[in-house]
Amino acid sequence: MERKAERRREFEMNLQKAGLEIEIEDKKDSENGKNYFVKIHAPWDVLSTYAEVLNIKVPIKENDLDQRKENPLNWFLLLFKLPHNVMNPEPDYFTAPFSKQRQELYLIHDKNTFFSPATRNRIVYYILSRCPYGIGEEKRKFGIKRLLNNGTYTSAFPLHDCQYWKKSQDEKCENERYTLYKQWARFGKFYKEQPLDLIRKYYGEKVGIYFAWLGFYTEMLFFAAIVGFICFLYGLVTMDDSINSQEICDKNIGGQIFMCPLCDQRCEFWRLNSTCEPSRYSHLFDNVATVFFAIFMGIWVTLFLEFWKRRQARLKYEWDLVDFEEEQQQLQLRPEYEAKCTQKKKNPVTQISLIIASMIAVIVYRLAVYAAFASVMENNHSLEPISGLLTPQLATSVTASCLNFIMIMILNFLYERVAVWITDMEIPRTHLEYENRLTMKMFLFQFVNYYSSCFYVAFFKGKFVGYPSNYTYMFNSWRNEECDPAGCLIELTTQLTIVMAGKQIWGNVQEAFVPYIWNWWRSRKARNSPENLYSRWEQDFDLQSFGQMGLFYEYLEMVIQFGFITLFVASFPLAPLLALLNNILEIRVDSWKLTTQFRRGFAAKAHSIGVWQEILNAMAVLSVVTNAFIVAFTSDMIPRLVYYYAYSDNEVYPMSGYINSSLSMFQVSDFNNRSMPLENEMNVTLCRYRDYRYPPDHEKKYLHTMQFWHILAAKMAFIIIMEHVVFVVKFFVAWLIPDIPSDVKARIKREKYLTQKILHEYELCKLRQKLGEKNQCAEVAKEVIATEGKVQLSAIM
């Protein structure tokens, strides 16, 4: 404790040397009588000095260029708009980097309010993160982060400007938190636009750009959700017209086909029509609309990314980030790097082994439980009422999906800490590098963790089964799973629905209820105390900490969702609709918790969503490949088309006989001892299995038929054609849509010219003043935009 007290004394003394003012609240004045609070004030000299160091842009003149756009739908859009003072909390300005030598140039009406609260807390955090507090063992010790890690201080945070449920009694307070809560952070406002400028002003550009991206992503999901819902309706309307499911359900066709046992020895032969209901439901998602929707989503994802670039460019212009490459605070050396880095270390990627082990465990579970379900459901007559709806394949898929979801949540909890620890050990050079490294580690883990089971069902299940008497076994112990006679697509749909919906429900519960309950518990004793005994800083201290990586987890959650609606969307057209409904709730949950349940975070600038843009681009390209393979290898679309055009001999009903064509024959006496069923009550001599092989009486007994090779060739041709068509359209659309709107380009050029002219006139005036001419330089600079300037700029436009 003495050592910590010494650190605090030295740290606070150095903060005062840096120009900050410190006010300490004794613990006897706190509500619980235990906590000291150190209040930090930044006077004008400190703010102006570091504003120049950080190259912060400030207003030099109000922007008088006409930026209004007439929209013929304004009368309709009024329903979705917020009041003007909420959407535009301050006027637009021409800006220039701050310089202490040119203070008279800037629009400084009041030094106390000239720098916004977000800018002030960014400057203070910059000082806190670099203030030294001692020297020990050849390493300088400095930075608030290290003091928080070693327990010298329990937390550090900027204050909210008021309580969220009522306005402040201070007339000078802008009550921005209260406005955000009333106009943004309530579910009743779900149909309203977001006050992005106010969010940016209160929380900083980094938080603002996240909510801008989330809002835009949700808007674009609306179009994908409509098309996906129409494709689902098509499957629903045509479900009863599917000849394939009719043949499976027909007692005279499916009822007379005996299928080979689903597991070794314990399982019996079963009739094909026992899978009647699952085969009917599989048509909901496995139909011609699947191909159309897969192609549509390949184009949609390109439009989403390209239009987001344009939206991002417009925000960069509106938020004065055009000449901003990256936040200086992010690019400068991290204190941990400066203090600890003596040599570079490489991180061995061993953590992935944990994911692979868990994935293999789930597959082994599927294989073992699959056999158990097959045996129990066939031999237990009490399960007959549900056996028509829940086949062994589907029961295995549902339980394995639930188990996989639980394992995903556990592994997320463990790996989150491991990834942070490994990244800290690497000692990245800058804050930006630290975030990028952690982002890639976490995303790659989450990618394997969330999608491995879907990849297994989509591309491996039922593909390496073998055939009766020559089955393929995993580790020579567990027989590989077979797909349902109607295909594996319905199982992929089940897997995707459970994992995606479960993640979204759990995520919203975790984000909304956990902080609320935790805050309620922490502040339970002080809630009824008078306000003069329960101060603002104590109220904020009882809230949750948003942390430097708070937005990281929000992005990660949405990017994982983006993967679900793009990588596997061919199997589940309703995925965009589920994502849309979740995101409408997500925006309000995130805004609510940020405004009411979390401390105010340290503001930071950002001109883009960073490395997440590259991740989204990579997933967009991968999604074209995965959906092409799903349509070709997971759905029954290609085999049905090959049968329709090459093998059908029924001109009236071309698909009649397809089920019989897709099932091969096996002679029961050819079973080996390992696979031979122990009982054969129905005296079956020939059973059927899902494959294209010659019958037992053929000279090429159990070898693949020519139809198998025709289907395989058709699948490969479809993949090549679909990929090329979608990629050509994607790249053409990307080329056709410029990243920066033409009007934004023109305005950027125009503003740069006007700003340079203002600064030039100011410097010229200062020179004249030195030469003896007593001009009012600031006034001259502020009135530069005159008729002459506008005439010259008309040519630029």
Side-chain angles (χ1 to χ4, degrees), residues 93 131 198 369 535 701 704 706 721 740 786:
Y93 295 103
C131 183
L198 186 58
V369 171
S535 60
K701 178 180 179 180
H704 283 121
M706 188 57 66
I721 294 171
I740 304 176

Side-chain angles (χ1 to χ4, degrees), residues 417-647:
R417 285 147 182 79
V418 174
V420 172
W421 176 73
I422 291 174
T423 309
D424 285 340
M425 290 291 290
E426 292 176 345
I427 320 176
R429 193 165 175 270
T430 65
H431 290 284
L432 183 64
E433 189 178 342
Y434 179 89
E435 286 190 18
N436 288 348
R437 287 193 188 185
L438 182 60
T439 297
M440 292 307 299
K441 286 184 179 64
M442 284 293 289
F443 172 74
L444 289 175
F445 172 81
Q446 299 275 24
F447 184 92
V448 178
N449 198 22
Y450 275 104
Y451 304 142
S452 58
S453 57
C454 293
F455 272 101
Y456 167 74
V457 175
F459 306 123
F460 295 96
K461 182 180 178 182
K463 309 298 186 295
F464 309 100
V465 177
Y467 62 93
S469 79
N470 191 26
Y471 286 120
T472 306
Y473 293 83
M474 184 176 185
F475 303 131
N476 202 34
S477 299
W478 295 282
R479 190 172 120 186
N480 286 354
E481 290 180 272
E482 298 178 39
C483 286
D484 190 274
C488 266
L489 197 70
I490 188 66
E491 294 180 49
L492 177 59
T493 304
T494 304
Q495 177 81 29
L496 185 66
T497 304
I498 290 175
V499 176
M500 180 181 175
K503 180 185 183 303
Q504 293 183 165
I505 294 170
W506 173 251
N508 285 320
V509 169
Q510 195 176 26
E511 290 184 16
F513 292 104
V514 172
Y516 177 80
I517 293 171
W518 183 253
N519 290 340
W520 175 86
W521 179 256
R522 288 186 65 176
S523 62
R524 66 192 185 283
K525 294 180 180 178
R527 274 196 303 274
N528 298 323
S529 301
E531 195 163 342
N532 61 339
L533 297 179
Y534 191 36
S535 60
R536 279 177 52 202
W537 40 91
E538 290 178 285
Q539 293 173 37
D540 284 10
F541 176 68
D542 285 338
L543 298 177
Q544 297 291 293
S545 173
F546 190 61
Q548 190 176 2
M549 302 302 293
L551 282 181
F552 167 82
Y553 298 108
E554 302 298 338
Y555 275 118
L556 184 62
E557 178 186 4
M558 288 295 102
V559 170
I560 293 297
Q561 183 204 81
F562 181 81
F564 280 125
I565 69 161
T566 54
L567 296 176
F568 309 101
V569 74
S571 67
F572 190 37
L574 292 180
L577 179 60
L578 289 182
L580 173 65
L581 297 175
N582 174 80
N583 287 9
I584 291 173
L585 180 63
E586 180 77 22
I587 291 174
R588 304 303 156 178
V589 169
D590 284 352
S591 59
W592 174 80
K593 73 177 184 182
L594 198 64
T595 307
T596 67
Q597 303 302 310
F598 281 83
R599 301 169 190 160
R600 190 175 182 177
F602 289 105
K605 280 198 171 187
H607 70 316
S608 68
I609 61 175
V611 71
W612 297 109
Q613 183 77 39
E614 301 305 318
I615 291 175
L616 292 174
N617 289 335
M619 293 181 75
V621 173
L622 180 61
S623 68
V624 177
V625 179
T626 55
N627 283 300
F629 271 85
I630 286 173
V631 173
F633 285 97
T634 309
S635 81
D636 262 11
M637 181 62 59
I638 303 302
R640 288 200 296 263
L641 290 175
V642 170
Y643 180 81
Y644 182 92
Y645 288 106
Y647 289 90

